[in-house]
Amino acid sequence: MKAFAKKALVCAAAIAMTMGMATSAKAEDVTLEFQQWWGVELPDGALQEICDGFTAESGVKIELLSNPYADTKTQVAAGAATGTMADVVGLDGSWVYDFAKQEAIANLSELMTADGYDTAQLSDQIQYQGNTYMIPVVNFAYPLYVNMDILEEAGVEAIPTTWTEFLDACAKIKENTDKAAYCIPLSTEAPNGIQNQFSTWLWASGGTLMKDGKPALTDNEMLTKVVDFFKTMKDNGYLTDGVEAMKEQDMVNEFENGRLAFMVDGISHLTTIKTESPDLHFTYAPMPKEDSYEGQSGMDVANWGIGIAENCEHKAEAMKFIEYLMSPEVNAKLSQLANAFPGNNTAAPDYSANDELFLTAFEIFQNGYAINEFTGAPTAEDLMRSMNEQLILYFDGDTASVADMLTATQTAWEAAYE
Amino acid sequence: MNSKLKKTLTPYGYLLPTLILMTILLVIPIIMVIRYSLYDNVIANKNPAFVGLANYVTVLSDHDFWNAIGHTLFFVIISIIAHMLIGMTFALILNTRYLGARTKGIFRAVYALPWMFTASVIAITWRMVLDPNGVLNYILMTLHITSEKITFLASRDIALQSVTLINIWSGYPFYMISILAGLQGISPDLYEAAALDGADAIHSFTGVTIPQLKPILISLIMLDFVWTLQQFALIWMTTGGGPVNATETVSTWIYKQGFTKFQYSMASTGAVILLIVCTIIGILYVRQQRAEA
């Protein structure tokens, strides 16, 4: 009996060791696919280096699938439809509602709770029906870019701080130069001009598009003023020619080529603009406010968000990877490399190597509050597109009044919220 | 296995790899899309309900869809006519005996160039050409043809014509090369006989060239109809169907339904309608080919 017990003990130990080895081998065998657009926008090899750090720490391999933003969106949407999404996906806040509703992305609240993860350190969480589905890894602010040479040529002495001053500056630019004053890209293909170059004026003056999480476009006094403000710019020829077919990159090209005095754009483009147009004399400024508004300004932010596919077979490892990216050190490094603000409140990026203008933008950002009402909204891109179309119809005179324009947009938006 | 059975099965064995591939890549996806079109929003809804032809009623009573059909027909018909005229003209130039072999070679390469580019390259190039600050506006203003910049792709009045122009430019070389091959296959004896009968150049063209090219021309028109009907990349990358919906075609309408509204059933319904039209043209094409054979 003793011999039998000994044999059984040895067998049990052998099985336990084998199981243990199998378990440790299993972690090393796991490879997570990470689909995102970040790798394309970061310096060459930077994201791979960060992911290699996770592999060294955990043994889990990360396979990067990096493509430009638009391609990533199409591929993630196709993956969501067919259940073949990459394990970990880069997300934009405007996609979250639809993918969460489709149950294509995993409930991170459950995974964070299971891991005992402290969510207090996160700057934000994008939720659907009370559960988190996306965590913003880094945030990009959208300040006002100002071409100082055009202002000087036009005889504009100071950067405008109110709408009246801005329109005065536009008038001088039109009169004294052959440059455009402002640009709102309104291409139907990528209608995010409504978010970044239009709504940003509303948010800067304390306005909102939503009330209690629902569209509130009609009888919205500040929004009505913003639409009229844009109509004035359009009618007076202050906007770049052909905005109806322009994409954000076209606007950046116009600015880089010194043909545009003001633009609202993400600070992620700072390095590109500095590299491609080293002689361009420009600065960042806070968004001009509506003349009577004296409160704090909201600043449009976009983010590199992250989520886990519902079809991921290694959700626990995927969550560990997210926790790694959100750890103060890694998050700080990623923020510094991306010219962005950290998604972890405790991260302290060393921006000393970043451009001086970045620090200016950081200061502007800190003086206001971050806002983006399209984040987490249903079919957010389609909401932007319907407002885009209504704005063009109003520009062209097909819609009689701002009230009619906003009523038509409200009707289209309400359909998405049903 | 007896030799008779083996002899009967052998051809099917050769066909099997192709049949398997066609089933996976063609038949199954088509069946899936048709099935999706009969359900209340699939994919986005985990438990879709069967709704029969309700989606077809919704799509066919949607003003925007009919608007897209109108634009598609304009885009397709004008493209085909222009492709034919330009392709024929350039093919005749390249087939003439008045040009030397080297000159013909250079022209052939230059004329065929648009066909070598991918849709994205064509879209980017033409966006730069048609930009208000682009090459075409510069030329027009320098020659005092216009005093103001023309917003070719941004104006709702001319955006569809501009996109059609881009498609014409990108598609005529296919006609040119095919017609040129047909012209080179026409026996010179026919032209000599026509000349002896007193036919001038125009009569030779209408009495000899066109009848001899007829099978090729019909095939070209049918193939071009189907290809142009499905054109998506060029329109999406130049205007995205806008401004507003000035250049919306059936293909961009389907894309928006699927990828921005997440209405996959509606997108599938639109795709099935497009499939039916293409199938009808395909059947006509096959019949025409058989008749010629």
Side-chain angles (χ1 to χ4, degrees), chain B residues 142-279:
Chain B
T142 305
L143 297 176
H144 300 289
I145 294 170
T146 175
S147 57
E148 286 188 351
K149 290 173 183 171
I150 301 172
T151 52
F152 291 99
L153 295 170
S155 162
R156 284 156 64 205
D157 298 327
I158 55 169
L160 183 60
Q161 289 86 330
S162 304
V163 173
T164 309
L165 172 76
I166 300 171
N167 189 58
I168 290 167
W169 182 84
S170 68
Y172 78 80
F174 175 64
Y175 277 69
M176 184 190 76
I177 291 165
S178 305
I179 294 171
L180 183 59
L183 286 172
Q184 288 171 347
I186 300 174
S187 168
D189 296 349
L190 294 172
Y191 290 107
E192 281 176 21
L196 286 172
D197 287 342
D200 58 12
I202 294 171
H203 283 110
S204 287
F205 180 72
T206 54
V208 177
T209 309
I210 295 291
Q212 289 295 308
L213 288 176
K214 195 179 153 196
I216 295 174
L217 297 181
I218 291 173
S219 300
L220 284 173
I221 289 170
M222 287 183 177
L223 289 174
D224 197 23
F225 186 89
V226 173
W227 291 342
T228 313
L229 199 66
Q230 296 173 345
Q231 179 62 269
F232 169 75
L234 210 56
I235 300 169
W236 189 249
M237 284 188 278
T238 47
T239 61
V244 188
N245 55 10
T247 58
E248 188 88 297
T249 59
V250 176
S251 54
T252 57
W253 184 91
I254 291 170
Y255 180 86
K256 284 180 187 170
Q257 289 294 322
F259 287 95
T260 69
K261 292 178 188 284
F262 299 99
Q263 296 286 331
Y264 293 104
S265 286
M266 290 301 164
S268 300
T269 308
V272 171
I273 292 169
L274 198 61
L275 174 74
I276 292 167
V277 175
C278 291
T279 307

Side-chain angles (χ1 to χ4, degrees), chain A residues 64-76:
Chain A
L64 290 179
L65 306 174
S66 304
N67 281 299
Y69 175 88
D71 293 341
T72 303
K73 197 210 161 183
T74 307
Q75 286 164 12
V76 171

Side-chain angles (χ1 to χ4, degrees), chain A residues 163 199-208 222 226 287-291 293-298 369:
Chain A
W163 290 7
S199 301
T200 195
W201 289 86
L202 175 73
W203 297 327
S205 295
T208 55
M222 189 57 79
V226 174
M287 289 299 297
K289 294 180 191 177
E290 197 273 331
D291 293 37
Y293 183 71
E294 290 177 351
Q296 230 186 357
S297 281
Y369 57 91

